[in-house]
Amino acid sequence: MGYLTCVEQLWELDVRVASEREVCELIEQCRNQLDSTLDRTHLVSSLAVAGAFSGVSMDYVTPRVHELADKWTVSLCSILDLNSGLGSSDFNHMCTHRVHPYFSSPKQPQYKLMHADIQPELMGEPEWKKHEQCVGAFMWALGRLDASAIRDSVAFALPVTLALADDYEYRMYGLRASCLFVRDPEFARRSGTGSVLLSSIRTCLVYRSDAPQPHELLHSAFTAFTTVADAIKVDVQEWWALCDALVVNYGYVGDKVNELRVVCGQISIVCERLGVCVARYLRAFVGIVTHVLESGICVVELQQVAAEQVAALARACPQRVCVYVPSVVAALARAWDSAGSDSASDKLRDEIHRALASLRETDADAVSRAVRSLQNGCPSHFDTW
């Protein structure tokens, strides 16, 4: 079996049912039969196949498969002189031959008039879902596309990125691809590509409890929004939209620790971008932070994240935070009281001290009064405050 035949056999493999041993054997055969005398187009096309099995983010790629495929990609990149990254011509060739055939627009549903109701004939799942390698090949290639070449590959990459971000099961990949897309910030801003991506990402800023890893998906959505928004320099209204999403998702996640860490941890990010304009959401954000600090969850790492947000709010909006000093200090005291004697608790106490220092810069008298009230009740417990 020749090199190209072996490559095509691996490409057509149904990774949803294939065993790790079967995949590894085919990759080994491809590596052993690699023919450096083939023309460039064939080698680039086979590189897309190797990359599809080299990306660790794909579910079908096990550590062993990744190890073997990575060696194969290294050999191909050396032959093709691509160690510094992919150019637009090679990337576009990969998309044309290994990605787009599966992402081509499906036929429109045919409508039939039945019993006075117009009912569409149901369409099956898209072809690219039946052939996950095309997603793996796209993600691997986009990650290695040189930033300067993005503008020449938009027509090849943007439709696939939007399709992934719009799909519930593959949304994580679409969000990661969106971040890779704005490595040329000026082009993303001037071409409108960044705005298109941001519109797609906005629909992802909703907590989905039935997702396989809901907190990771939510974190990826916030990260993608921030990455793209920073790249194209959005105005304050866009950051307010992110604040709205934070408040709404806080209501959805309940007392789920990982999800609360994600939501709570975004407050400092919007504080950095909005500055004093965060005052519009100050009451809601203080409510989130104090709830986490004084709730019965008592997860030290989560409380540490909440304490970090206190300092961020105090720096961003010192003129208004002073109004909330009594309630915030009381919440910090509850977290302090629940801390244990391990290293994580020591980090929490350090973060609480930093939060208090930030609050003192906004209104030292109010903080002193709140601390004295605590010390009167428990002199030895808050003596370091």
Side-chain angles (χ1 to χ4, degrees):
M1 182 166 56
Y3 175 70
L4 294 180
T5 303
C6 185
V7 169
E8 292 306 317
Q9 186 174 341
L10 177 61
W11 180 251
E12 295 300 332
L13 194 67
D14 188 348
V15 294
R16 295 178 293 185
V17 297
S19 66
E20 180 188 51
R21 179 180 178 180
E22 185 178 4
V23 175
C24 289
E25 287 178 352
L26 281 172
I27 293 175
E28 284 281 30
Q29 290 179 37
C30 291
R31 287 182 59 213
N32 294 334
Q33 298 181 38
L34 176 58
D35 184 0
S36 60
T37 63
L38 289 169
D39 64 80
R40 187 177 183 86
T41 57
H42 284 118
L43 290 173
V44 169
S45 184
S46 68
L47 178 59
V49 179
F53 291 89
S54 182
V56 293
S57 64
M58 303 305 298
D59 292 336
Y60 60 82
V61 178
T62 65
R64 178 59 178 162
V65 169
H66 167 71
E67 179 185 357
L68 293 176
D70 197 49
K71 293 177 181 178
W72 182 20
T73 59
V74 169
S75 298
L76 282 166
C77 287
S78 178
I79 294 171
L80 293 165
D81 193 23
L82 293 176
N83 294 319
S84 60
L86 286 176
S88 60
S89 60
D90 290 333
F91 175 84
N92 297 348
H93 180 79
M94 288 181 180
C95 288
T96 300
H97 292 274
R98 296 297 185 186
V99 181
H100 286 178
Y102 303 94
F103 278 86
S104 57
S105 300
K107 295 179 180 179
Q108 293 298 318
Q110 300 296 313
Y111 290 88
K112 293 183 178 181
L113 191 63
M114 299 176 61
H115 306 295
D117 293 324
I118 297 178
Q119 300 180 357
E121 291 184 341
L122 297 177
M123 306 292 291
E125 66 178 356
E127 284 298 315
W128 57 268
K129 282 193 175 183
K130 301 175 186 177
H131 200 85
E132 289 186 70
Q133 293 98 307
C134 69
V135 179
F138 174 76
M139 295 300 298
W140 182 89
L142 184 61
R144 284 151 186 80
L145 178 63
D146 191 87
S148 63
I150 290 175
R151 62 185 63 204
D152 296 321
S153 298
V154 170
F156 293 84
L158 185 59
V160 179
T161 299
L162 296 176
L164 292 172
D166 190 51
D167 187 88
Y168 180 63
E169 295 178 272
Y170 287 79
R171 182 163 290 171
M172 186 81 77
Y173 299 111
L175 293 169
R176 291 171 182 167
S178 298
C179 295
L180 294 171
F181 231 109
V182 294
R183 286 174 292 161
D184 185 346
E186 182 181 358
F187 174 73
R189 182 170 59 254
R190 296 179 62 181
S191 66
T193 305
S195 297
V196 173
L197 291 170
L198 203 62
S199 297
S200 177
I201 295 169
R202 284 194 207 100
T203 64
C204 305
L205 296 174
V206 179
Y207 175 64
R208 304 285 186 181
S209 59
D210 55 342
Q213 295 175 311
H215 66 283
E216 291 189 9
L217 181 59
L218 189 61
H219 181 265
S220 294
F222 284 132
T223 300
F225 185 97
T226 302
T227 301
V228 176
D230 282 341
I232 64 175
K233 300 184 182 347
V234 298
D235 56 25
V236 68
Q237 281 78 15
E238 289 290 352
W239 292 111
W240 279 343
L242 183 60
C243 292
D244 286 332
L246 288 178
V247 176
V248 170
N249 281 294
Y250 168 70
Y252 288 158
V253 301
D255 286 336
K256 297 180 177 67
V257 173
N258 289 329
E259 284 80 347
L260 279 174
R261 287 183 68 177
V262 172
V263 173
C264 197
Q266 298 300 312
I267 294 176
S268 59
I269 293 175
V270 295
C271 283
E272 291 176 5
R273 274 66 174 184
L274 284 173
V276 70
C277 293
V278 81
R280 180 173 181 170
Y281 292 87
L282 186 58
R283 182 175 181 179
F285 288 165
V286 169
I288 293 173
V289 170
T290 54
H291 169 260
V292 171
L293 286 169
E294 61 189 7
S295 68
I297 303 175
C298 294
V299 176
V300 172
E301 291 80 7
L302 174 59
Q303 291 173 319
Q304 182 181 340
V305 172
E308 292 171 359
Q309 312 315 304
V310 173
L313 288 168
R315 289 191 299 269
C317 197
Q319 302 90 341
R320 300 285 294 278
V321 166
C322 56
V323 177
Y324 301 95
V325 163
S327 60
V328 173
V329 171
L332 290 170
R334 289 287 297 274
W336 181 277
D337 191 51
S338 65
S341 56
D342 55 345
S343 59
S345 294
D346 291 338
K347 292 179 181 178
L348 172 59
R349 293 189 185 92
D350 291 340
E351 201 58 55
I352 290 175
H353 278 304
R354 282 191 282 270
L356 288 169
S358 297
L359 289 173
R360 285 191 173 95
E361 292 179 6
T362 66
D363 192 336
D365 292 339
V367 174
S368 296
R369 288 193 296 271
V371 170
R372 277 198 303 270
S373 177
L374 293 170
Q375 291 172 339
N376 289 337
C378 303
S380 59
H381 201 56
F382 299 101
D383 55 351
T384 61
W385 279 37

